Structures are given as structure tokens and as C-alpha cells.
Amino acid sequence: HHVHPCPACGIIYRADEHHPPILPVRAQLPMQLSGSWVSTHCEVRPAVLFLTRYFIFHSNNHTWEGYYYHYSDPLCKQPTFTIYASGHYTQGIPSSKVRGGTELAFKVTQARVTPMDQVTVMMLNSSEPGSCGLTSSWSAGVEQDITPTNGCLALGIKLPHTEYELFKTEQDTKDRSLLYIGERPTDGSSPDSPDKRPTSYQAPLIQCAGASEEFSNYVSLKYLGKKDTNGREALKPLPVAFLLFIALLFLR
């Protein structure tokens, strides 16, 4: 702290076990969900699941879209399946349990699934008829709507359903906007009742500054290896390319 002085560093340096550091309270930012938010790194979930997330929030009508890209490895290099979900959310209220947090309820009304490897394809094709899309019709890289079957039992998705969430927005030392979403239950379930509402947060998402909502289409094309509207072949998923995109956002 002598080389790079900062108020918090000095307070901590002068503290001891009898005089713990009392840090200045940071101003709480108002909840600003509007826009696009993306994971900064590969994330982990219970039951050995690895994924990256990308969300779009429309504050004008309180609707949202989410892309969950799942992988089989902790480096997020081997895609297994992706889930697209959408719905609407309630007006947030300050949390009575977690200072600085905002409580919201998210209704999930629609979902689509795209298997990305043969193991997932086989699992979905062997699922109980009528429990996950069209029976025995799954193939790698092809998206299918699971809304008509009220979700996908094999993947633990039930539609429609409501999740009771805890959100918080902050800014880091470089004035970048961060979004914290409530941590998932350790048993792998979802916070589908008020008593299961999170009291801690997952790793933050970073706001896609200046990025249009067409980014979701860009990510989907890169992830699935499809062709774009101009007929050009999109690339297979490359984590390095994704990291470069994030790096470019930081540079901007």
C-alpha cells in the first residue's frame, strides 16, 4: 500500500486482531438490468456441469432471454448442449435478507435445446416419449423447441416455471458494469419457491458495452457451426475467439 496507496489498503494495514478494519461503505447502485450481459469465464455448477451464460434484458416490457452454453470440461472447450430460454420478470424490490440485493421473480415460458455431441443426442432420443421434444428426432447441431412438451425431463427443465432470484449490480475498478445473479442450490435444483431464494451470488456477468442484440445470433452461429444470412459458413465454437471478443470489449 506504500507503493500504490489506497484508503482501504491503509485501513487494513493499520488494523489488528483487537482493532479490525472498518472499511468505508460503497454507494449502492440502482438496479439497471437493461442490455446484454455475458460470462467472463467458464463457470461450474453442481453435478459436474460447466457453462457460459449470455442474457438480454428488455426493461421496457420486463422480458428476458438467456443462452446457457454447456460443456463437458472445466475449460469450456467441449460443447454438449445449449439451452435458450425466455420469459418475463417482475419489478424488483430491495432484499430484506441481503443488503444491497434486489429480489425478483423470473417466469420461464419458452425454451429451446440444441444437442452438440452424440452422447447428448442419444440421451435425448432415448427419453420417454412426449417428455422432451419430438420423440427420437434429435440430432447434433439442430435446435428443437421443447415448449410444447412442457420442457425436457431428461435435462431437468420444466415449463412454465418461476425462479425466485437475487440480483445486484456493481462497477469494478475500471468502471465496467457487473451483474451478480443468485447462486444455484447445491443440490442442483432451481430456486422455484420463495424459501429457496439465494442469499449469495454467482460469478459476475459483464455488460456488453455498445454491443447490439444481434450478438446473440452471432454467438449462436459460432457455437452451432451454422451458416449466417449471407450464406457464409460460421466457425465451430472456439473459446479463444470468445476470449478475444471479451478482450476487445475491455479495450473499448
Side-chain angles (χ1 to χ4, degrees), residues 46 56 68 219:
I56 307 170
Y68 305 82
V219 172

Side-chain angles (χ1 to χ4, degrees), residues 20-184:
I22 301 177
L23 302 180
V25 178
R26 296 183 61 180
Q28 295 183 8
L29 298 177
M31 177 62 61
Q32 298 288 347
L33 273 186
S34 183
S36 304
W37 306 79
V38 69
S39 298
T40 59
H41 61 272
C42 190
E43 301 173 0
V44 64
R45 291 289 185 278
V48 197
L49 292 177
F50 308 97
L51 78 160
T52 57
R53 298 172 292 159
Y54 173 64
F55 290 107
I56 307 170
F57 297 100
H58 308 277
S59 59
N60 58 329
N61 57 5
H62 281 211
T63 60
W64 68 280
E65 302 172 76
Y67 294 83
Y68 305 82
Y69 299 95
H70 290 79
Y71 302 83
S72 62
D73 66 294
L75 297 179
C76 287
K77 290 186 176 181
Q78 302 297 325
T80 53
F81 63 94
T82 180
I83 299 173
Y84 166 83
S86 63
H88 58 272
Y89 60 95
T90 62
Q91 182 73 33
I93 60 173
S95 173
S96 60
K97 296 182 178 180
V98 181
R99 186 173 63 180
T102 300
E103 296 182 352
L104 305 98
F106 279 77
K107 185 73 172 291
V108 186
T109 56
Q110 294 182 317
R112 302 194 297 265
V113 172
T114 306
M116 296 302 299
D117 64 356
Q118 290 303 319
V119 174
T120 306
V121 170
M122 292 176 60
M123 178 187 68
L124 296 178
N125 280 332
S126 61
S127 60
E128 183 180 346
S131 67
C132 187
L134 298 176
T135 305
S136 302
S137 63
W138 294 94
S139 58
V142 179
E143 184 179 68
Q144 188 173 151
D145 190 358
I146 59 172
T147 307
T149 54
N150 297 321
C152 179
L153 185 60
L155 297 177
I157 303 173
K158 297 180 181 179
L159 295 176
H161 79 273
T162 301
E163 294 191 351
Y164 296 85
E165 279 289 3
L166 180 72
F167 275 46
K168 178 178 69 170
T169 53
E170 283 188 356
Q171 284 188 322
D172 63 10
T173 55
K174 297 182 180 180
D175 292 330
R176 295 173 299 194
S177 296
L178 303 177
L179 174 63
Y180 290 84
I181 301 178
E183 185 63 89
R184 301 295 87 183

